[in-house]
Amino acid sequence: MEPRPAAPRPRLCDSLGADQTPSASTLNAARAEARPAGRRAPAVAAVLPAGGSGERMGVPTPKQFCPVLERPLISYTLQALERVCWIKDIVVAVTGENMEAMKGIIQKYQHQRISLVEAGVTRHRSIFNGLKALAEDQPDSKLSKPEVVIIHDAVRPFVEEDVLLKVVTAAKEYGAAGAIRPLVSTVISPSADGCLDHSLERARHRASEMPQAFLFDVIYEAYQQCSDYDLEFGTECLQLALKYGHIKAKLVEGSPDLWKVTYKRDLYAAESIIKERISQHICLIMDTKDENHVGHRLEEVLKDELNHVKVTSRLPCHTGRDLDQIVSEQCYSYVCVNVMTSDFEEIRKLVNMLEESNLSILYPVVVISVYFLDYKSVPFDQKMENLMQIREYAKEVKKRNILLCGLLIYYPQVFYPPQDPSCLT
Ligand SMILES: Nc1ccn([C@@H]2O[C@H](COP(=O)(O)OP(=O)(O)OP(=O)(O)O)[C@@H](O)[C@H]2O)c(=O)n1
Ligand SMILES: O=C(CO)[C@H](O)[C@H](O)COP(=O)(O)O
């Protein structure tokens, strides 16, 4: 069992400040090769502050460790970053008391390229500790200084590669960049007596979100120069780059899903988004190219009936080659149409590949194997006997969180193709 994250101590009682050296423990030495972002590929690392107490969430467990579909929230954010192969190191700032819990999460969900540092008593101090671990002046650090550093909150799980690429590319050009969103509510400034002093024109202002990216030297020097007041009360890294590095950050429009999980209701929203994403991609693996075959009607039916669902078709021989891509797209639903064969070797191959991909560690993967058998050419008893084995196999793979279901469509070829394709659903 993974150690339970400890309820936080009061923020200001936390013992580690910005002036203390964080110790980086590299949990996985495997580093991805940096891939070009823009014309020349900068070395990119990420710092994730994850040392907060989540007071606004109002639950004892810090929100980054709260389960969403039985998996800690931070694990989704790590997965979103590690999917981006050009981010070579991910430094996570965690409080000492949650260090073991964090290591347990990294092991359980097989996160890669993660180093842990001690968090500070404020978000800025946690980020500073992460940057120190990446700076070259750390004698015992296994990390190397990146050209560009991404800063991203551990509690913003839905960050996509495109926005990361945009902020990194802009940071390389401008020195700093950050994601923004239109304001939902108008920002007003109250006076000391609790009355309206003035309000801001909503259309002229933006909400600053994450991710943000910086030339490493710009943000590291800003943190080195900034005051205790900044470290204690500041909430905006872009402001530090402006105040201490005279860098005007480029602002990049982000997606609505970049919001920060803050209140309890946000956990429910996160859960719904994850469920929606999982259910919206079906991979159809078809062992025939015959466009007239009823199997292809199934593809048409799926595409027509589920028009919000992405349906990807593959031939089995392409499955291996394309699986990495399908897996990286988080496809959890597979329909395999078997016309040419009634054995389930192809299904075994697919299940093996899914197991190796570790996709099913996170949620159940559903595989529906559909067999079309022409009763004239195939002796029923013999084929049923073969196919009954799928039951035993399904029991076996269920233990590994793969839900396999066999569907036999035994049809007389004379009626083929069926007039009403809905009989397939
Ligand atoms: N001392 C701190 C405080 C915050 N954070 C991190 O900064 C991110 C954004 O901060 P926020 O949403 O304010 O988190 P909390 O401080 O945990 O929340 P709250 O303000 O409700 O207590 C979170 O990933 C949080 O874990 C951090 O690393 N170290
Ligand atoms: O949205 C942000 C942009 O900088 C930060 O995540 C936010 O300001 C953090 O502040 P706090 O820790 O006070 O919630």
Side-chain angles (χ1 to χ4, degrees):
M1 257 181 61
E2 71 198 48
R4 257 181 80 76
R9 290 169 298 175
R11 281 172 156 197
L12 295 171
C13 298
D14 203 325
S15 56
L16 197 73
D19 50 345
Q20 286 173 266
T21 308
S23 63
S25 60
T26 305
L27 289 171
N28 196 320
R31 309 258 167 82
E33 283 301 306
R35 191 206 267 169
R39 271 159 293 174
R40 191 172 65 79
V44 181
V47 169
L48 255 78
S53 56
E55 275 172 27
R56 286 169 287 182
M57 181 70 68
V59 297
T61 305
K63 59 189 176 183
Q64 57 276 28
F65 299 115
C66 284
V68 179
L69 292 173
E70 294 177 25
R71 178 180 166 201
L73 180 67
I74 191 170
S75 176
Y76 293 95
T77 318
L78 292 179
Q79 190 196 31
L81 289 177
E82 71 197 0
R83 271 210 299 264
V84 180
C85 62
W86 44 263
I87 300 178
K88 66 187 181 85
D89 290 303
I90 302 167
V91 179
V92 185
V94 190
T95 59
E97 59 191 336
N98 286 320
M99 201 57 86
E100 284 310 307
M102 190 66 229
K103 286 181 184 169
I105 291 169
I106 291 167
Q107 250 167 14
K108 181 168 179 187
Y109 296 99
Q110 301 179 16
H111 292 302
Q112 307 285 312
R113 306 170 348 238
I114 313 287
S115 298
L116 299 181
V117 297
E118 286 258 4
V121 290
T122 64
R123 178 172 173 273
H124 268 334
R125 290 189 192 277
S126 295
I127 294 169
F128 193 12
N129 285 355
L131 295 174
K132 283 179 188 171
L134 286 168
E136 265 169 355
D137 50 12
Q138 294 298 304
D140 54 349
S141 175
K142 293 179 189 129
L143 300 165
S144 55
K145 190 179 89 167
E147 185 183 347
V148 175
V149 62
I150 294 167
I151 298 177
H152 186 68
D153 291 327
V155 291
R156 297 180 191 258
F158 303 115
V159 60
E160 298 281 355
E161 181 165 0
D162 64 339
V163 73
L164 290 164
L165 187 58
K166 279 183 194 157
V167 291
V168 166
T169 310
K172 210 166 138 23
E173 191 177 341
Y174 294 85
I180 52 163
R181 289 287 305 154
L183 285 176
V184 175
S185 306
T186 302
V187 177
I188 58 169
S189 186
S191 54
D193 60 359
C195 297
L196 176 69
D197 184 70
H198 65 276
S199 69
L200 301 183
E201 196 183 326
R202 193 169 64 188
R204 289 168 59 86
H205 293 82
R206 294 288 178 274
S208 173
E209 309 283 348
M210 290 274 153
Q212 295 175 349
F214 303 85
L215 287 176
F216 184 84
D217 292 338
V218 166
I219 194 66
Y220 190 48
E221 279 162 28
Y223 270 99
Q224 282 172 315
Q225 288 174 52
C226 73
S227 64
D228 276 347
Y229 186 88
D230 289 322
L231 290 174
E232 214 57 48
F233 301 105
T235 57
E236 184 51 77
C237 307
L238 300 179
Q239 180 63 27
L240 296 183
L242 180 64
K243 187 169 165 190
Y244 297 101
H246 309 290
I247 298 287
K248 279 188 165 186
K250 180 72 180 165
L251 304 178
V252 170
E253 194 71 36
S255 69
D257 288 352
L258 279 180
W259 101 110
K260 185 170 66 172
V261 171
T262 304
Y263 299 101
K264 212 168 171 187
R265 60 166 187 249
D266 294 327
L267 288 178
Y268 305 131
E271 182 170 322
S272 301
I273 291 173
I274 293 161
K275 280 186 178 160
E276 192 187 31
R277 288 185 176 192
I278 289 175
S279 65
Q280 284 191 346
H281 188 180
I282 296 174
C283 179
L284 199 69
I285 299 170
M286 183 105 52
D287 72 350
T288 175
K289 279 184 176 171
D290 177 1
E291 296 271 310
N292 292 320
H293 192 274
V294 68
H296 281 282
R297 301 288 296 275
L298 175 62
E299 184 177 354
E300 281 162 27
V301 170
L302 285 174
K303 283 182 173 161
D304 287 353
E305 302 269 321
L306 311 171
N307 50 17
H308 59 290
V309 172
K310 179 174 164 194
V311 180
T312 317
S313 313
R314 298 277 186 271
L315 284 168
C317 57
H318 291 153
T319 310
R321 203 182 325 141
D322 294 347
L323 192 76
D324 278 353
Q325 195 200 333
I326 299 169
V327 166
S328 74
E329 287 171 13
Q330 302 281 289
C331 183
Y332 281 82
S333 309
Y334 296 82
V335 177
C336 303
V337 176
N338 307 281
V339 175
M340 309 305 286
T341 170
S342 60
D343 67 29
F344 46 98
E345 262 326 289
E346 284 302 334
I347 295 301
R348 280 189 195 276
K349 277 189 213 159
L350 173 68
V351 167
N352 287 344
M353 281 189 282
L354 289 170
E355 278 186 59
E356 277 164 25
S357 74
N358 291 320
L359 201 63
S360 61
I361 289 180
L362 308 178
Y363 322 102
V365 178
V366 177
V367 179
I368 300 176
S369 191
V370 189
Y371 296 89
F372 288 91
L373 295 181
D374 169 10
Y375 78 54
K376 282 201 174 147
S377 60
V378 186
F380 182 82
D381 291 350
Q382 180 200 327
K383 293 302 168 191
M384 268 312 272
E385 205 181 303
N386 281 353
L387 289 172
M388 286 304 275
Q389 293 172 30
I390 206 165
R391 285 196 171 177
E392 290 311 308
Y393 188 49
K395 275 187 209 157
E396 196 188 304
V397 298
K398 193 175 173 191
K399 292 178 201 145
R400 303 194 289 275
N401 216 14
I402 297 176
L403 308 180
L404 173 63
C405 164
L407 179 62
L408 173 61
I409 299 186
Y410 201 59
Y411 68 99
Q413 208 161 42
V414 66
F415 296 138
Y416 157 70
Q419 294 306 302
D420 175 11
S422 65
C423 68
L424 295 172
T425 57

